[in-house]
Amino acid sequence: MEALNSIAKPSCFLLLLGLLLLFANAMPLLAHAKTHHHDFVVQAAKVKRLCKTHNTITVNGMYPGPTLEVNDGDSLVIHVVNRARYNVTIHWHGIRQMRTGWADGPEFVTQCPIRPGGSYTYRFTIEGQEGTLWWHAHSSWLRATVYGALIIQPKQGSSYPFPKPTRQTPLLLGEWWDANPIDVVREATRTGATPNVSDAFTINGQPGDFYNCSAKDTVIVPVDSGETNLLRVINAALNQQLFFTVANHKLTVVGADASYLKPFTTSVIMLGPGQTTDVLITANQPPARYHIAARAYASAQGAPFDNTTTTAVLEYKTVSCPAKCATKPVPAALPAFNDTATATAFTTSLRSPKKAEVPTDIDESLFITVGLGLNKCPKGVRKRNCQGPNGTRFAASMNNVSFVLPSNFSILQAHKQRIPGVFTADFPTKPPVKFDYTGNVSRALWQPIRGTKVHKLKYGARVQVVLQGTGIFVAENHPIHLHGYDFFIVAEGFGNFNPKTDSKKFNLVDPPMRNTASVPVGGWTVIRFVADNPGVWLMHCHLDVHITWGLAMAFLVENGVGELQSLQPPPADLPLC
Ligand code: C2O
C-alpha cells in the first residue's frame, strides 16, 4: 500500500508509468495463452472394418477424428461444417464452458442441430483443467464414429504433478457396428426393443488381433526399455463400460476426467462411456510385444452384450525376430465381464491429490433415481412397434421422468429468450414414491412419465445429488455425466442409500473430482458441486441407448451478479431449429 501511495501521489505521469510496468509484468502470461483454430468437416468417408467397407460419418475423413492438443488457459475456435446427411452437433466432453454454454453442444439442449449444409463455430476457453478429455457428436448415435481426443497440457510454464513422461499416447476405446449405427438406433426406436449390440470394440479405431480382417491393422504403441510413458485412456464406446489392461505391466493411475489423482498402482482399470483415465506405464519388462486389451464390464444380469476383446500392442523397440515376427503378443488377463468387485475396487481407489474444497453447507439436496422402465404399448400403436418385454417399449428415467428433447428451440434459447412451452422447471427433487429401489420393484412402478423438465439452481448454490440406481427391469451400472461441471464423488455404495448411516461414510477430505460417475449396479453414488456456471446443463447416462430411452434431466443455473457471473450472449451463428 505504502509504495503504491508514494507512486500515486506525486503525479499522474508516475501513476501511468506504474500501470505500464504492471501491464508489462502481466504480458508474458498473456502471451502464452494461445487460440487454436480448427476446421471440422463432418462428412461420410469409406471406412473398412471387419472385412466390410462402410460409408462412415467422420470429421475430416478421419476415424477416430483429429486429436486436439492445447494448454490449460488456451482458447479454441472450431468451425464445424456439416457435409453429412444427418443433423449434427459437437460436444466437448468435460470442458467446463464457463459462461459459454452456447458452445457445449448437446442438440436441443444448448443449441439446435447443425443441419446438412450448415455450419457453426464453437468458441471456448480452457479454465483450470488439465489431463485428458474428448469431443464427440451429441446428436442421435453419431458419436459412434464422430469422436476424438482433447488433450490439455499444463499451463505454459508449469508441469505435471509427476515426472515428465517420455511419450504420451491417447488410446480411444470405441465400439463398432457392422451396420450404420444410425440405422441401429432407428430400428430400436421403431420396435421399442433393445438395439443390437456392437460387433467389435476398438482401440484408436482398430479392433485388433481377435477379429476377422483386422490383425494386420492392429494399433502399435512403441516403447523403449526403461521409459515411463503416459497412456491417456478414453472410453468413447456408445453403450459399454470397459475393463482395460496391459499384459505384464503395472498401471499407475494419475488422473481421470482432466483432474489429477493421488497416484496408485493397479493392473486393470474400468471406464464407463465418457470417462477418461491417465495412467503411467514403465517399460520394465523383457523386450517383447505385449497386448493392450479392453473388454466389456457388463453389469446387467442376463442382458445381451458384445463379448469380444479389442487389442493393441505395446511393442518394445528393440524387439527383433522371432518375437517381432511371431503373431502372438504376450496375452493380457482381463477380469470376467461381470466382475463387479474389480470395478468397485477401482472406482473406490480414486482420491484427489490433496485436501479438496468439497462444498459442505449444502443448499440444494436432490435424490434422483436412475434406471430403466417399460412403457405400455400406447393405444393405436401396432404390435411391431412394441417389441419390448411383454409387448412394451423400453424406457428409462430419472425420478420417473423420461426426458424428452424439445424440437423447436433449444432449452437454453427458450430460457434466455423466455419462450414458453419448451420446458418446465418442475423436475422432481425426489422420486414420486419411496420404494425399495434396488429390491424387487412392483410392476406398478415400472412406467415412467414423459417430460422436458429441468431443475433450477441459484448461482453459487452448493448442491448434493444422490444418484440411486434402481432394479426396475434390471439393475445395472450407469455412467452418469454432468455437463458444464466437475463434481466430487463423496461416496458410493450398494443397495438403497441410507442418509443416516451412509452420510457418515462421505469422504469430504480428498474425494475424486470427475465429470462422469459410475453409479454401481444396484447401488448409489453421491456427488457434490457448486453451481458457479450459469446455463442449461444436461445430466444423463452416457450409455447412448439409455439417453435414447430418456435417462436424462437438466439443471438450469441462473446468472449471478454482474457480467462475470452471467452467461455470455448467444453467438450470431447459433443454429436455429
Ligand atoms: Cu459425453 Cu452429454 O456427453
Side-chain angles (χ1 to χ4, degrees), residues 111-153:
Q111 68 167 98
C112 296
I114 309 170
R115 305 285 174 194
S119 68
Y120 179 43
T121 304
Y122 293 85
R123 296 166 191 273
F124 55 91
T125 298
I126 317 284
E127 289 182 39
Q129 299 189 284
E130 290 181 19
T132 307
L133 293 175
W134 58 301
W135 55 266
H136 62 77
H138 211 301
S139 180
S140 183
W141 277 22
L142 280 181
R143 80 170 178 84
T145 54
V146 178
Y147 65 85
L150 202 172
I151 291 166
I152 312 172
Q153 299 290 356

Side-chain angles (χ1 to χ4, degrees), residues 91 93 136 138 481 483 540 542:
H91 168 53
H93 181 114
H136 62 77
H138 211 301
H481 172 48
H483 285 230
H540 63 86
H542 216 286

Side-chain angles (χ1 to χ4, degrees), residues 140-141 181-196 381 384-388 392-394 450 544-545 547-549:
S140 183
W141 277 22
I182 302 297
D183 294 343
V184 175
V185 66
R186 283 188 177 164
E187 169 74 2
T189 307
R190 194 179 62 73
T191 62
T194 44
N196 290 343
V381 172
R384 60 185 168 89
N385 300 118
C386 298
Q387 293 184 36
T392 59
R393 292 178 57 81
F394 268 105
R450 287 159 58 83
D544 269 22
V545 52
I547 317 179
T548 307
W549 292 340

Side-chain angles (χ1 to χ4, degrees), residues 444-465:
L445 298 173
W446 284 30
Q447 165 99 36
I449 60 156
R450 287 159 58 83
T452 308
K453 295 180 185 299
V454 308
H455 179 73
K456 264 195 192 163
L457 292 171
K458 288 245 174 316
Y459 182 92
R462 287 155 299 196
V463 185
Q464 172 176 298
V465 184

Side-chain angles (χ1 to χ4, degrees), residues 155-484:
K155 258 197 172 37
Q156 291 276 0
S158 59
S159 51
Y160 310 100
F162 43 83
K164 187 163 188 261
T166 311
R167 286 170 228 258
Q168 308 190 10
T169 312
L171 294 175
L172 289 135
L173 312 179
E175 219 170 343
W176 181 263
W177 274 261
D178 197 20
N180 176 350
I182 302 297
D183 294 343
V184 175
V185 66
R186 283 188 177 164
E187 169 74 2
T189 307
R190 194 179 62 73
T191 62
T194 44
N196 290 343
V197 298
S198 54
D199 297 287
F201 296 110
T202 56
I203 298 178
N204 291 349
Q206 290 296 343
D209 294 348
F210 299 148
Y211 300 87
N212 290 339
C213 309
S214 303
K216 66 176 191 333
D217 297 315
T218 298
V219 168
I220 305 289
V221 178
V223 64
D224 246 340
S225 287
E227 281 177 2
T228 295
N229 293 340
L230 179 61
L231 304 180
R232 300 173 177 274
V233 189
I234 300 166
N235 186 345
L238 247 73
N239 293 323
Q240 193 59 65
Q241 294 85 345
L242 294 163
F243 287 121
F244 171 93
T245 193
V246 181
N248 295 18
H249 289 73
K250 285 264 177 275
L251 309 172
T252 302
V253 178
V254 292
D257 297 4
S259 290
Y260 291 118
L261 292 169
K262 197 167 282 169
F264 69 96
T265 298
T266 175
S267 58
V268 56
I269 62 175
M270 192 282 287
L271 306 96
Q275 296 182 320
T276 74
T277 305
D278 287 358
V279 298
L280 294 171
I281 176 169
T282 300
N284 55 10
Q285 294 301 307
R289 303 172 83 233
Y290 297 89
H291 259 156
I292 297 172
R295 67 169 297 190
Y297 164 49
S299 62
Q301 249 187 47
F305 69 98
D306 179 345
N307 197 9
T308 62
T309 301
T310 179
T311 54
V313 174
L314 184 76
E315 185 174 277
Y316 282 64
K317 286 202 285 183
T318 47
V319 177
S320 50
C321 269
K324 192 162 189 160
C325 312
T327 45
K328 286 213 173 68
V330 178
L334 278 158
F337 73 90
N338 57 359
D339 190 346
T340 292
T342 295
T344 308
F346 174 70
T347 54
T348 54
S349 297
L350 310 193
R351 298 276 182 281
S352 275
K354 33 181 201 273
K355 180 151 178 16
E357 281 175 41
V358 188
T360 46
D361 299 297
I362 296 299
D363 303 303
E364 290 255 10
S365 198
L366 289 89
F367 183 93
I368 302 182
T369 55
V370 299
L372 302 187
L374 293 178
N375 280 328
K376 293 196 192 83
C377 200
K379 275 212 180 71
V381 172
R382 298 216 184 107
K383 264 216 172 113
R384 60 185 168 89
N385 300 118
C386 298
Q387 293 184 36
N390 306 317
T392 59
R393 292 178 57 81
F394 268 105
S397 70
M398 285 184 154
N399 277 351
N400 207 45
V401 182
S402 191
F403 190 76
V404 181
L405 288 171
S407 55
N408 44 355
F409 294 97
S410 73
I411 300 176
L412 187 57
Q413 196 190 353
H415 160 56
K416 287 326 277 183
Q417 300 173 353
R418 301 180 194 285
I419 301 161
V422 177
F423 67 89
T424 52
D426 58 348
F427 180 81
T429 56
K430 56 180 199 310
V433 287
K434 250 193 181 172
F435 58 97
D436 178 6
Y437 308 107
T438 51
N440 216 333
V441 185
S442 144
R443 297 278 160 136
L445 298 173
W446 284 30
Q447 165 99 36
I449 60 156
R450 287 159 58 83
T452 308
K453 295 180 185 299
V454 308
H455 179 73
K456 264 195 192 163
L457 292 171
K458 288 245 174 316
Y459 182 92
R462 287 155 299 196
V463 185
Q464 172 176 298
V465 184
V466 177
L467 298 161
Q468 172 71 61
T470 76
I472 294 176
F473 189 70
V474 67
E476 79 180 284
N477 174 295
H478 295 278
I480 302 294
H481 172 48
L482 173 59
H483 285 230

